[in-house]
Amino acid sequence: MDNAATNNQETFVLNVGPQHPATHGVLRLKLTLDGEYVVRAEPVLGYIHRMHEKMGENRTWAQFMPNTGRMDYLSALSYNHGYAAAVERAMGITVPERAEYLRVITVELNRISSHLVWFGAYLLDLGGFTPLLYAFDDREKILNLLESVTGSRLTYCYFRFGGVYNDIDENFVDGVKEFIKTMRRSLPMYHNLVSKNIILLKRLKDIGPISRETIRKYGATGPVARGSGVDYDVRKNEPYSVYPEFDFEVPVYHEGDSMARYMVRMDEIEQSMRIIEQALDKLPAGPVMAAKTPRIIKPPKGDYYQAVEAARGSFGVRIVSDGTNTAYRLKLRSPSFSNLSLFSAVSEGMLLADALALLGSLDLVIPEIDR
Amino acid sequence: MRNMDFTKLKEQLRPLAILEDVVVGEPPEEDTGSEARVAPEPEKLAAMHEPDYLARGFNLDVRVEAGKVVEAAGILDEHGFFLEAVTGVDWPQEGQLEVVYDYCLWQPQCRVVVRTRLDRQSPVVPTISTICPGANWHERETHDFFGIEFSGHPDLRPLLLPDDADFHPLLKDFKAHG
């Protein structure tokens, strides 16, 4: 830090949040500033801490499923998936192929809707209001589709141990195809109007560079890691479900700046659509629930781990079972927790406005950090 | 452990593992998932073993003494692993608290679990945040939930719990209501 921040001794503390639009939820930042420069940034967490891990010990395995949709409320289905897959691994349940396909289709739709919220909200942070309206228009179509099959619009609880609870119908298939068509028209428009916008480029290019080493040392994953040249996506690197059956790419950018993280998410929307298209084409017939799923879930003693790629990175479930119908210990590893932990180190010496651009590029969902 | 030879990593970790295999009455983990279903008997816990990845979800499981967690973190860091999470497990019958470190490698796929058992009355373990700065928050969280002291940690104030919290909710004797 050889800028103004070190030269002057007069600093002051600026409190951002916990009810501030730029912190998206209830995150608080204690920023020590020297003029406009950040000397020290301290995220203060816990405002929406609900102790999901204790709740996991107090209810049956199946009863905990709705909790998983209430951590990362923007990509709830990935969390359904992680938890269901962890318990299925422990129980040795094989999920019918059609059910896994439906899981992938809905999870990827959810990923797109999550990225669209981030896109709109991030530009709002940066001072552009209009893109939000377009992004939410596209997202609305996904919510309608997911509502028709899962029954809810945000905090989904669609997965069951051994499958999913509801099959899709023709309307859903047609709706998804229609959505992909409109989304393919929207994406170039977003790029034309937003990604190439000179103001956006000035705000994001070379702002908040994160090195590969910082990513690794802090355990950051997801688009944050992939924006720093880390080719790591749980769907590819530790394949689960039926992801190996699809042909898709993992967008990786090497610049490490906020723009790179922006581009990773925009490109992921296209990749998710490719996965959905292939899944619809190859969708096998058959049941959506395993026939032999036991009524009472009692995973055998021992510990188990399952990671899935949520919209924000690697979501991990560590189960310690004592062979009863409740978890002995349920550890939920959420991606934004690690992604945010590098903020203090990276934001040091940045301008306040740039630090907030960096914060938004991390795509935080606070209930998932606080759990 | 597919695709690549982790012999060197295992060689380096083996001296850290608790040398004598111990027998415990209620084992928290078994070597084989499927057989455990029929025979939940006390069994030997290997200090270091490679569980069946498909059944367990991780590739290597190492039990070390509390003093060795930093050295283990250093070795894994050298091999390019990143820290996925740190957490605890309470074993009140045995009077122990377990600390579990999950490590993961970007490529090729490899997950290593390092675990250590502490005395439940005075749980102290050295911090690994000197090696993985990301451990800072994970350890603070574990301190919140279990009261485990991470010696040498720069800042053990509550992270997720209120500032004045004098309880550790994930201990088994902490009863949640409702």
Side-chain angles (χ1 to χ4, degrees):
Chain A
M1 256 203 311
D2 52 2
N3 52 32
T6 44
N7 305 334
N8 205 325
Q9 298 83 27
E10 258 184 54
T11 60
F12 66 100
V13 175
L14 179 74
N15 186 55
V16 183
Q19 294 291 349
H20 189 279
T23 62
H24 298 289
V26 277
L27 169 69
R28 180 175 160 222
L29 290 177
K30 250 165 82 179
L31 299 175
T32 308
L33 297 180
D34 181 351
E36 288 268 320
Y37 289 93
V38 177
V39 179
R40 219 173 82 83
E42 186 197 345
V44 182
L45 312 179
Y47 288 95
I48 196 162
H49 173 58
R50 291 146 294 168
M51 201 72 251
H52 277 299
E53 294 178 12
K54 187 74 172 180
M55 285 191 241
E57 297 175 11
N58 286 342
R59 53 196 69 192
T60 65
W61 295 94
Q63 281 172 338
F64 186 73
M65 184 62 89
N67 287 57
T68 60
R70 282 156 178 80
M71 284 185 282
D72 179 348
Y73 54 86
L74 292 179
S75 71
L77 282 168
S78 304
Y79 284 66
N80 275 195
H81 202 173
Y83 179 62
V87 175
E88 281 154 7
R89 165 168 272 162
M91 292 286 293
I93 298 172
T94 314
V95 181
E97 225 190 353
R98 184 178 176 86
E100 282 292 7
Y101 269 72
L102 295 187
R103 285 177 173 190
V104 167
I105 293 169
T106 49
V107 163
E108 294 306 321
L109 278 172
N110 202 189
R111 190 185 312 276
I112 298 174
S113 78
S114 171
H115 283 352
L116 284 172
V117 173
W118 164 81
F119 171 73
Y122 188 36
L123 286 153
L124 208 55
D125 285 359
L126 299 172
F129 184 75
T130 324
L132 178 91
L133 303 173
Y134 285 83
F136 270 54
D137 185 33
D138 283 332
R139 172 179 178 256
E140 192 67 16
K141 298 184 184 95
I142 299 179
L143 295 193
N144 289 337
L145 287 166
L146 287 178
E147 184 183 14
S148 72
V149 55
T150 68
S152 40
R153 289 172 69 81
L154 202 66
T155 48
Y156 309 106
C157 180
Y158 175 51
F159 293 8
R160 298 289 182 270
F161 305 132
V164 295
Y165 95 93
N166 193 15
D167 204 345
I168 58 170
D169 55 16
E170 277 307 308
N171 287 339
F172 178 81
V173 177
D174 295 342
V176 171
K177 285 181 176 159
E178 187 58 36
F179 164 75
I180 290 180
K181 237 186 257 166
T182 54
M183 195 64 220
R184 287 235 163 91
R185 279 200 301 270
S186 298
L187 264 183
M189 180 178 72
Y190 292 159
H191 282 305
N192 276 332
L193 293 178
V194 181
S195 314
K196 293 178 188 164
N197 184 304
I198 186 74
I199 304 173
L200 182 94
L201 290 170
K202 291 250 183 222
R203 289 296 308 274
L204 300 189
K205 266 242 162 284
D206 302 324
I207 299 303
I210 305 176
S211 70
R212 239 179 108 87
E213 194 57 7
T214 306
I215 294 288
R216 189 174 72 82
K217 290 278 186 183
Y218 284 88
T221 48
V224 176
R226 291 193 285 276
S228 293
V230 177
D231 187 6
Y232 178 71
D233 184 316
V234 185
R235 291 174 294 175
K236 281 270 191 206
N237 299 52
E238 196 179 349
Y240 56 96
S241 189
V242 285
Y243 280 109
E245 294 176 27
F246 304 118
D247 173 31
F248 67 102
E249 280 150 32
V250 176
V252 176
Y253 283 79
H254 293 269
E255 294 83 355
D257 57 1
S258 299
M259 193 64 201
R261 292 184 281 279
Y262 171 97
M263 287 308 294
V264 167
R265 293 194 187 93
M266 296 306 273
D267 289 1
E268 276 186 10
I269 295 179
E270 171 56 31
Q271 295 305 323
S272 289
M273 290 196 290
R274 281 182 64 194
I275 296 173
I276 296 167
E277 278 180 326
Q278 294 170 48
L280 285 176
D281 285 346
K282 290 201 276 185
L283 186 64
V288 295
M289 270 299 285
K292 283 190 207 142
T293 309
R295 264 303 233 339
I296 297 164
I297 301 285
K298 284 183 179 176
K301 269 184 197 175
D303 51 352
Y304 309 89
Y305 195 91
Q306 174 72 46
V308 294
E309 183 73 22
R312 276 150 202 86
S314 158
F315 167 60
V317 181
R318 162 170 287 286
I319 288 175
V320 181
S321 173
D322 59 351
T324 61
N325 63 351
T326 58
Y328 187 79
R329 174 85 179 92
L330 186 64
K331 164 70 184 170
L332 305 161
R333 189 268 182 206
S334 59
S336 293
F337 185 88
S338 300
N339 291 358
L340 175 62
S341 70
L342 53 75
F343 179 74
S344 298
V346 177
S347 64
E348 236 173 62
M350 286 172 77
L351 278 168
L352 173 62
D354 290 346
L356 290 181
L358 163 68
L359 186 73
S361 75
L362 298 176
D363 189 12
L364 305 170
V365 164
I366 312 305
E368 171 228 307
I369 299 172
D370 285 356
R371 286 159 288 140
Chain B
M1 285 196 201
R2 297 164 284 184
N3 309 330
M4 205 178 139
D5 193 12
F6 285 95
T7 331
K8 193 173 171 228
L9 174 70
K10 283 186 273 179
E11 263 169 30
Q12 283 178 295
L13 285 174
R14 193 171 293 282
L16 303 183
I18 295 167
L19 287 177
E20 278 178 56
D21 294 345
V22 291
V23 181
V24 290
E26 295 278 309
E29 69 271 277
E30 291 89 359
D31 286 355
T32 49
S34 47
E35 285 166 29
R37 257 166 252 183
V38 267
E41 283 165 20
E43 61 177 286
K44 266 193 162 187
L45 282 179
M48 181 165 131
H49 70 279
E50 288 174 54
D52 172 12
Y53 170 76
L54 285 177
R56 294 292 168 161
F58 46 91
N59 310 79
L60 186 65
D61 190 325
V62 192
R63 288 189 309 118
V64 301
E65 298 283 3
K68 295 286 171 73
V69 293
V70 184
E71 211 177 315
I75 292 170
L76 288 159
D77 183 62
E78 252 173 56
H79 284 264
F81 282 76
F82 72 89
L83 181 74
E84 188 103 56
V86 179
T87 191
V89 186
D90 188 15
W91 302 102
Q93 284 93 1
E94 291 144 48
Q96 286 176 326
L97 271 171
E98 187 177 6
V99 188
V100 185
Y101 302 84
D102 277 296
Y103 294 92
C104 181
L105 192 63
W106 287 331
Q107 237 158 2
Q109 187 279 321
C110 183
R111 278 183 191 281
V112 177
V113 182
V114 176
R115 47 180 100 230
T116 184
R117 294 277 185 123
L118 310 173
D119 175 21
R120 202 167 178 274
Q121 297 308 315
S122 56
V124 185
V125 65
T127 179
I128 59 162
S129 61
T130 41
I131 290 162
C132 320
N136 185 319
W137 279 15
H138 289 291
E139 289 180 346
R140 265 175 88 180
E141 181 195 292
T142 310
H143 178 255
D144 279 8
F145 293 172
F146 293 91
I148 293 166
E149 202 69 43
F150 290 90
S151 56
H153 191 285
D155 173 18
L156 267 186
R157 282 174 305 150
L159 181 71
L160 296 177
L161 296 185
D163 287 341
D164 57 351
D166 55 355
F167 49 87
H168 302 294
L170 281 183
L171 294 177
K172 289 288 171 192
D173 40 24
F174 180 88
K175 292 283 171 244
H177 302 285

